[in-house]
Amino acid sequence: MTGRGSNFFERDVGGMLKLHSVMMNQRRNSPAAQRFAERRRREDDAPRLHDQVPNLVSLRLEIEDRSGVTGTKHNRCVVVDRAPALFLVPCADPRCADGEHDLTHSVMRALRARETSFRGEDGCMGSIGPSSCSRVLSFDAFAEYRS
């Protein structure tokens, strides 16, 4: 094994040199990476949207995440055939610890009622240092169903 900075080389069983990076392990174990992995695990374990709302054809969410007067907007088109029946949106502030918006209850309630348009809002429950995160996520949703 030879080293250079935070990288090192190692020969595998076949004699090939492999580069290992300590930085990759640090990123993989960072709090943000762990939150992402946990959210992904919850999405994988969730029931599928097409099983929960079989007549749903399409779903689009227009999401605005804001803090005070500033905010960001984006659209999320849901792939109904593969999507989990779980609507988690991470807090947009990278400094926020344990912040996410769980829209699942309000979205699923509206979809089960076959609403074609609905809206909702969720305050972040995370924290930035010793203070509560002040970000608020609002969304407008548009759904289409089979007859």
Side-chain angles (χ1 to χ4, degrees), residues 103-115 118:
L103 311 177
T104 304
H105 180 72
S106 59
V107 170
M108 291 304 296
R109 183 173 18 95
L111 292 176
R112 287 184 177 120
R114 295 182 56 99
E115 293 182 31
F118 52 95

Side-chain angles (χ1 to χ4, degrees), residues 2-9:
T2 61
R4 184 174 176 172
S6 62
N7 297 322
F8 64 90
F9 296 92

Side-chain angles (χ1 to χ4, degrees), residues 2-118:
T2 61
R4 184 174 176 172
S6 62
N7 297 322
F8 64 90
F9 296 92
E10 176 180 56
R11 290 205 184 272
D12 67 9
V13 176
M16 298 288 293
L17 275 179
K18 292 169 49 176
L19 171 65
H20 296 275
S21 176
V22 174
M23 183 60 102
M24 288 300 287
N25 286 335
Q26 289 173 345
R27 275 193 216 136
R28 202 174 302 138
N29 295 324
S30 73
Q34 290 172 356
R35 285 191 302 271
F36 176 81
E38 173 61 20
R39 190 170 58 252
R40 179 59 55 100
R41 186 194 61 72
R42 288 171 28 201
E43 288 174 348
D44 290 346
D45 292 346
R48 300 292 95 186
L49 184 57
H50 64 83
D51 293 333
Q52 299 295 306
V53 189
N55 292 331
L56 183 64
V57 174
S58 69
L59 177 62
R60 180 172 52 91
L61 301 173
E62 294 178 354
I63 297 171
E64 180 178 16
D65 192 328
R66 62 186 186 282
S67 178
V69 294
T70 62
T72 59
K73 292 182 180 183
H74 69 278
N75 288 331
R76 180 175 286 184
C77 293
V78 177
V79 180
V80 175
D81 290 337
R82 293 193 312 250
L86 186 67
F87 297 89
L88 303 175
V89 181
C91 180
D93 191 326
R95 301 169 301 157
C96 183
D98 300 322
E100 75 178 0
H101 303 276
D102 189 348
L103 311 177
T104 304
H105 180 72
S106 59
V107 170
M108 291 304 296
R109 183 173 18 95
L111 292 176
R112 287 184 177 120
R114 295 182 56 99
E115 293 182 31
T116 56
S117 64
F118 52 95

